[in-house]
Amino acid sequence: MNLETRGSSSGEAAYRDRFATVMMRSAPTPLAVLARGEGARVWDVDGKDYLDFLAGIAVNSLGHAHPVFVEAVARQASTLAHVSNYFATEPQLELAERLTRLTGGDRVFFGNSGAEAIEAAIKLARLTGRPRILALENSFHGRTTGSLALTGKPALRDPFLPLLPGVKHIDSTIEALEAAIGPDVAALVVEPIKGEAGVVELPAGYLAAARELTRRHGVLLILDEIQTGAGRTGDWFAYQHDLPAGDLPDAVALAKGIGGGFPIGALVTFGAASDLFRAGHHGSTFGGNPLATATANAVLGEIERAGLVENARVRGNELRAHILALRSPLITDIQGRGLLLGVGLAEPIAPTVASRALDAGLIINAANEHRIRLAPPLIIGEQELAEFTRKFQHALDVPHPTDPGAHR
């Protein structure tokens, strides 16, 4: 439910009218008009508060207005915000060193978003000289024309055809990968957990088998960790759970949580893949500027200092247990890891559940008709879990379509 269908105050109505007048029609009508946030909570323009269990779609790792985030932005903005890619800065180099340490990678390209990280990955794959890229059905990699070509959702791609040639979408099975891979394939691009699909896991052992197959055929394994990275799954990166110890991908696309709310994207490369780009092959005016990289450094540093990767693992297990304890007949499954969970529903009522949650002061996401996506800040504790459970139970108490009172 959005502002056009749910009751709204005169303040919200005024914002709604302004939004409808000046914003491009590609933007959905906003669910609410938010004014401020603190921790895992936000307030709208009329003062109503909400527990935020979406975190800007897995972006706000430290929640809202975290002192470390605020101080980093203010400090860097007061010294040096932007210099272009003709120059290097200490924050840029420090962040690149941090990301290579955390990932086990060798080199970093900085952009401004996840889609830009994927675009860099596509160009990296093209530099192999091979014409084809494999991606998975029901995947999501972005909305720029290159990243959209990789996205395995025809409804998103079809209005913009033709897109980048040479992309083949395959089922998420090792058998499908074995049938499609060959000497003309440059790369396999994979989300370790399909976030936009509603937090859907790959088959057990998929990434390990894909690493073996891609290595055997000389194919780049490129992982889209835009939504799963920065500690969200209870590991720094999801592949660290899914690949055998010491085994690494060829490239990893990052964004969202690494900046904690400040726009930044990165492509980290490993081994021989780090030698593909040469001077002039790629660039970004804003990518890696000191303001973005200083903020991301501070965010990742606080995740390390405060033990928030472990917190994501522990609280994620607790969150899963809380949901299962509800024993709702609507819940069919829970997928994902850490603080990226998807709740499957037996009826196509996820948008209704999300709307009832919003009315109750809880922000969750209906990824599609049957799945609810949860991605709270990594800072949540027992109090937030208890509040979520109460409000999610309320949201799930939706009259069944066959209930005689459902349409009163």
Side-chain angles (χ1 to χ4, degrees):
M1 189 181 295
N2 55 40
L3 290 185
E4 290 182 341
T5 54
R6 62 189 279 260
S8 60
S9 69
S10 58
E12 280 187 333
Y15 279 104
R16 179 191 62 204
D17 291 342
R18 291 169 59 193
F19 186 94
T21 299
V22 299
M23 295 299 292
M24 197 68 74
R25 289 193 175 96
S26 59
T29 302
L31 299 172
V33 181
L34 301 181
R36 65 184 181 91
E38 183 177 348
R41 195 168 299 278
V42 292
W43 286 260
D44 67 19
V45 290
D46 294 313
K48 180 178 178 178
D49 67 288
Y50 305 82
L51 179 65
D52 184 3
F53 259 52
L54 186 57
I57 314 182
V59 168
N60 299 319
S61 307
L62 303 182
H64 300 274
H66 193 287
V68 168
F69 179 92
V70 172
E71 195 277 332
V73 173
R75 181 184 69 251
Q76 192 61 46
S78 69
T79 56
L80 192 66
H82 177 74
V83 297
S84 87
N85 55 14
Y86 288 122
F87 303 92
T89 64
E90 179 59 30
Q92 177 194 60
L93 298 176
E94 183 181 341
L95 180 59
E97 290 164 349
R98 185 187 297 272
L99 289 176
T100 56
R101 172 172 60 83
L102 294 176
T103 61
D106 296 303
R107 294 187 181 276
V108 181
F109 173 84
F110 287 119
N112 308 287
S113 66
E116 287 190 31
I118 292 295
E119 292 286 345
I122 291 171
K123 293 178 76 172
L124 188 80
R126 285 299 183 92
L127 288 173
T128 66
R130 298 182 177 191
R132 298 175 61 224
I133 297 176
L134 302 180
L136 301 186
E137 297 284 0
N138 205 29
S139 60
F140 183 86
H141 299 288
R143 294 179 181 271
T144 56
T145 54
S147 61
L148 185 60
L150 298 185
T151 293
K153 295 176 179 287
L156 297 182
R157 296 196 314 266
D158 288 353
F160 305 101
L161 296 176
L163 291 168
L164 183 76
V167 177
K168 180 177 177 61
H169 295 93
I170 62 175
D171 289 339
S172 303
T173 65
I174 290 301
E175 293 76 15
L177 178 57
E178 288 175 330
I181 203 165
D184 61 341
V185 174
L188 168 67
V189 182
V190 179
E191 297 169 274
I193 299 172
K194 295 179 182 179
E196 294 298 315
V199 189
V200 176
E201 298 175 15
L202 297 174
Y206 182 92
L207 276 191
R211 175 67 288 186
E212 193 279 327
L213 276 170
T214 52
R215 182 180 290 119
R216 186 195 314 167
H217 289 274
V219 173
L220 298 180
L221 177 61
I222 299 175
L223 301 184
D224 180 341
E225 292 247 18
I226 292 163
Q227 198 158 153
T228 55
R232 177 148 297 279
T233 63
D235 290 283
W236 270 108
F237 305 98
Y239 71 83
Q240 293 167 338
H241 177 276
D242 293 324
L243 290 180
D247 217 352
L248 297 169
D250 296 294
V252 177
L254 304 173
K256 288 186 179 288
I258 67 170
F262 203 98
I264 187 170
L267 182 71
V268 182
T269 56
F270 302 72
S274 297
D275 294 326
L276 289 171
F277 276 133
R278 292 285 184 262
H281 275 161
H282 200 35
S284 171
T285 297
F286 289 101
N289 76 28
L291 184 54
T293 52
T295 304
N297 262 318
V299 169
L300 294 176
E302 179 63 11
I303 292 174
E304 285 194 274
R305 187 204 66 78
L308 295 183
V309 178
E310 175 65 16
N311 193 62
R313 184 183 304 118
V314 172
R315 299 305 182 187
N317 289 335
E318 292 173 350
L319 177 58
R320 184 186 294 265
H322 278 247
I323 296 168
L324 289 173
L326 296 177
R327 299 187 181 278
S328 170
L330 281 173
I331 297 175
T332 60
D333 66 278
I334 304 175
Q335 296 192 48
R337 288 200 303 274
L339 291 176
L340 181 65
L341 296 180
V343 182
L345 301 180
E347 303 286 342
I349 57 170
T352 300
V353 171
S355 178
R356 285 173 58 87
L358 191 69
D359 288 341
L362 171 66
I363 298 175
I364 57 179
N365 172 242
N368 53 54
E369 294 290 318
H370 282 276
R371 298 198 68 80
I372 293 290
R373 173 171 49 175
L374 306 174
L378 306 187
I379 60 170
I380 63 165
E382 292 180 4
Q383 181 177 339
E384 288 81 12
L385 289 175
E387 182 180 349
F388 163 83
T389 304
R390 293 193 305 271
K391 292 181 175 180
F392 192 51
Q393 177 68 77
H394 166 80
L396 288 171
D397 290 338
V398 180
H400 192 279
T402 61
D403 187 334
H407 303 294
R408 292 178 187 171

